[in-house]
Amino acid sequence: MKGIEYASSFNLNPNKWMLVNFDCSAMWVADRVKLTDALTVDPLYLQHDYSNRSIDYRNWSIPLSRRFRSLKLWFVIRSYGVEGLQQYIREHIRLAKVFESKMREDSRFEIVHTVNTGLVCFRLKGAENSLNERLLSSINETGHLHMVPAMLKKRYTIRFCVCSPTATEEDMEHASATIKEWATVITEMDEMEDAVQELRPTNSKTESDSSLDQAGSDPDEPSDNFCVVQTTRKGSIFVPRTPFARLVSDPEYYRRLSNP
């Protein structure tokens, strides 16, 4: 491993990327004496005749007894082989590159790091953190994908990780298409909400104006003064009807104009 000569210890979790059930951590140390000297407890009742001829793993951690976690790691290595595990990891990295290329095809997204493993971090380019957060929560609620966030340099970022042993390029296509579809929905809803704010009156309010605001603030109780322009799992977006639309659909509005 390049650069390992500068490390005094190295820890990895085979339960994350080596097909081993949780929990299992593997630790390498450059000098085991420094570790065992710090943790060794050697009362008379723990001493034995083989202490100079064997590695006593009770001195490698705080508890004296240990679960046999290495056994399940041994079984996985025996089943797949070293080359099989290498191929498994390389395939996940390749699929992550496939996903990255599909996301780069859409100019709305940016990849925020160099993809070297099975992890791809991306976000809506130039969008506020709140919009990226809405995108992630909307996708996760569908149950079709599950991703987790990260905050990189105060920017809300979405983390996509290839995890399934049976993942294929078709899965990468499905994942990227789902993300792009929801990005369209979320951005259109955001634009509509901005349009509603611009259409709402900012001057002195009449009784009719107040009813418009009340209807727009409660999506479950739409008013005749509003029409539905978008309905999603999150609710509906309402925009005010034009005077002409109200004129032909609201007799009371017509009578008010005829008899001021």
Side-chain angles (χ1 to χ4, degrees):
M1 183 184 296
K2 185 177 181 180
I4 194 65
E5 64 272 16
Y6 301 107
S8 58
S9 64
F10 180 80
N11 185 82
L12 61 93
N13 296 319
N15 58 269
K16 290 184 177 179
W17 212 7
M18 289 181 63
L19 299 166
V20 181
N21 293 337
F22 182 84
D23 62 329
C24 181
S25 293
M27 182 174 66
W28 171 87
V29 291
D31 186 354
R32 68 183 180 92
V33 175
K34 291 182 179 180
L35 175 66
T36 55
D37 281 351
L39 298 174
T40 296
V41 177
D42 200 25
L44 181 62
Y45 59 86
L46 291 177
Q47 297 176 12
H48 54 84
D49 295 335
Y50 299 95
S51 59
N52 295 327
R53 289 181 286 171
S54 63
I55 297 176
D56 198 337
Y57 286 105
R58 67 180 172 84
N59 297 324
W60 287 62
S61 61
I62 294 176
L64 296 180
S65 57
R66 300 170 60 86
R67 291 195 293 166
F68 200 175
R69 296 181 178 91
S70 58
L71 181 62
K72 54 188 176 183
L73 176 59
W74 181 83
F75 272 118
V76 171
I77 296 175
R78 183 181 180 184
S79 298
Y80 284 82
V82 173
E83 292 184 358
L85 289 173
Q86 290 174 339
Q87 178 58 34
Y88 170 74
I89 292 174
R90 287 166 180 159
E91 175 64 8
H92 274 196
I93 296 174
R94 186 187 72 83
L95 291 175
K97 289 286 189 179
V98 171
F99 176 82
E100 177 194 12
S101 65
K102 293 185 180 299
M103 295 302 294
R104 289 189 183 278
E105 292 173 358
D106 193 323
S107 60
R108 296 176 299 174
F109 294 96
E110 62 175 325
I111 308 299
V112 299
H113 70 122
T114 302
V115 178
N116 292 320
T117 63
L119 177 69
V120 182
C121 297
F122 66 95
R123 69 191 311 274
L124 284 168
K125 188 185 300 182
E128 295 181 356
N129 288 342
S130 58
L131 195 63
N132 282 281
E133 186 174 359
R134 286 173 59 188
L135 173 61
L136 176 60
S137 61
S138 298
I139 294 173
N140 284 347
E141 283 183 6
T142 66
H144 296 161
L145 293 176
H146 181 78
M147 298 176 289
V148 295
M151 193 68 73
L152 300 178
K153 297 181 179 180
K154 299 183 179 181
R155 298 194 304 168
Y156 191 93
T157 304
I158 302 174
R159 302 169 74 247
F160 175 89
C161 187
V162 183
C163 297
S164 174
T166 59
T168 63
E169 288 193 21
E170 288 73 19
D171 296 323
M172 302 302 104
E173 175 66 37
H174 170 73
S176 60
T178 300
I179 294 169
K180 293 174 184 178
E181 178 182 351
W182 273 99
T184 299
V185 173
I186 294 299
T187 53
E188 287 182 354
M189 289 180 62
D190 189 64
E191 292 172 358
M192 290 175 185
E193 290 172 355
D194 291 341
V196 170
Q197 294 296 330
E198 293 177 1
L199 289 171
R200 286 178 177 168
T202 56
N203 299 327
S204 59
K205 297 184 178 181
T206 64
E207 182 179 348
S208 176
D209 293 332
S210 298
S211 67
L212 292 182
D213 288 344
Q214 293 172 1
S217 62
D218 189 352
D220 296 325
E221 298 180 3
S223 165
D224 289 339
N225 300 329
F226 279 74
C227 62
V228 180
V229 295
Q230 180 74 28
T231 301
T232 68
R233 291 165 60 92
K234 291 292 186 179
S236 299
I237 295 179
F238 304 93
V239 296
R241 291 179 176 177
T242 64
F244 176 76
R246 295 181 63 187
L247 183 65
V248 298
S249 61
D250 186 354
E252 187 63 29
Y253 181 74
Y254 174 77
R255 282 193 289 271
R256 287 202 300 270
L257 291 179
S258 301
N259 303 292

